[in-house]
Amino acid sequence: MFSDARLTNLIANTLALLAVSALVIGVVVWAVRRPYFNIERIQIESSQGERLAYVTPEGVKATIAGRLQGNFFTVDLDQSRALVETAPWVRRAQIRRVWPNSLSVRIEEQQPLAYWNEDEMINTWGESFSANKAVVPDDVDLPQLSGPPNSERLVVQRYAELARWFGPLDVQVSEVTLSPRYAWDVVLSNGVQLSLGRDPAADIADPHGRKGALPFAVRVERFVQAWPALMQRLGDRALQSADLRYPNGFAITLAPVSSTPVK
């Protein structure tokens, strides 16, 4: 009898505990599903503490509209972050819950460095991204960079080197093009076109790599060093292009002289 009583009490206590647990779970589920906890507000701000220049709250909300699932308790933060990062000009996002029905979204914006190929842009980290170019202010003059797939970082690196070399000459780099065979062409802000040829440093990335090309830096530095004397010698004549691929120098082409008819 004693043994049966203990077993009976154990079963009764277990059933009571299960009943209470089921009641508690039911109450929690009921409470969690209340409209009070639906996501009603999304706070958007810069992760750097500055004013957002390209990302707009309206653009982010339009991207996630109807696609954000769950409420304060059930929303998947990782999935929501990935969704926000598909919005234009968003590079990275951090999301956290704000009691009782809000989300805080901290955004790292894309920082445009240049236009990339035909319809993309490239940021200061050497990453290509798609964005509405019309958002870029008119007074922001971005260079045009072009290259084969997966060459973004190499092109950005070379652009930065060229900008440093020509900066002291008060000349900017307007275009940098890396061909499918990894040869470089450059256009300066004064319209001068430079042919730099192949880049030995790109041999690993180039499936058609050929050894023996003059190092990229040597070609550019030689031309930059000759620039002041060259400009002085040309006088009023304008330089149209320069071919830097020669092992012991470079060849130049002068712009045509415009003739004014005599009346």
Side-chain angles (χ1 to χ4, degrees):
M1 294 291 295
F2 178 75
S3 178
D4 292 342
R6 290 187 60 182
L7 179 59
T8 300
N9 290 337
L10 178 60
I11 294 174
N13 292 337
T14 300
L15 292 175
L17 179 60
L18 291 175
V20 172
S21 299
L23 179 61
V24 171
I25 292 174
V27 171
V28 170
V29 170
W30 176 85
V32 165
R33 292 179 176 177
R34 293 303 88 198
Y36 179 74
F37 297 110
N38 290 345
I39 302 299
E40 299 290 344
R41 184 183 179 193
I42 300 177
Q43 306 168 2
I44 299 174
E45 59 184 359
S46 170
S47 60
Q48 286 85 17
E50 302 174 353
R51 187 178 66 86
L52 293 171
Y54 302 103
V55 176
T56 63
E58 294 76 16
V60 174
K61 292 176 182 178
T63 298
I64 66 178
R67 303 170 63 188
L68 194 65
Q69 299 179 350
N71 60 18
F72 178 84
F73 295 102
T74 62
V75 64
D76 187 322
L77 295 184
D78 287 336
Q79 189 178 64
S80 301
R81 173 189 53 76
L83 182 60
V84 170
E85 289 177 350
T86 64
W89 291 97
V90 175
R91 181 174 183 254
R92 291 177 180 169
Q94 299 174 337
I95 300 182
R96 63 181 181 87
R97 296 177 175 88
V98 179
W99 179 265
N101 56 4
S102 301
L103 293 178
S104 173
V105 180
R106 295 173 60 85
I107 289 176
E108 178 185 348
E109 284 187 302
Q110 298 281 9
Q111 300 297 322
L113 173 69
Y115 299 111
W116 177 248
N117 289 337
E118 295 183 1
D119 55 359
E120 291 185 297
M121 303 189 76
I122 198 164
N123 62 25
T124 51
W125 295 274
E127 304 163 342
S128 59
F129 66 97
S130 299
N132 182 6
K133 299 178 181 180
V135 177
V136 180
D138 294 335
D139 58 348
V140 176
D141 189 16
L142 299 178
Q144 174 67 55
L145 306 183
S146 304
N150 302 317
S151 66
E152 291 91 338
R153 292 185 183 275
L154 177 61
V155 176
V156 168
Q157 177 185 342
R158 290 295 185 249
Y159 165 75
E161 294 170 358
L162 290 163
R164 287 196 299 269
W165 278 318
F166 285 99
L169 302 178
D170 197 27
V171 179
Q172 287 72 48
V173 179
S174 298
E175 299 180 25
V176 177
T177 300
L178 180 62
S179 76
R181 296 188 65 84
Y182 282 75
W184 297 94
D185 290 291
V186 176
V187 178
L188 302 179
S189 56
N190 56 8
V192 175
Q193 302 177 17
L194 306 179
S195 297
L196 280 75
R198 284 188 38 77
D199 184 359
D203 282 339
I204 296 177
D206 180 5
H208 309 288
R210 294 175 298 170
K211 303 295 183 181
L214 196 65
F216 183 90
V218 173
R219 281 171 280 172
V220 179
E221 287 179 339
R222 184 173 58 190
F223 181 72
V224 168
Q225 291 173 357
W227 179 275
L230 178 62
M231 292 298 103
Q232 184 178 11
R233 185 174 179 179
L234 292 179
D236 295 334
R237 295 295 303 273
L239 182 64
Q240 178 173 290
S241 63
D243 189 339
L244 313 186
R245 294 174 292 179
Y246 293 88
N248 299 314
F250 53 84
I252 64 172
T253 301
L254 300 181
V257 179
S258 59
S259 57
T260 304
V262 179
K263 297 182 179 180

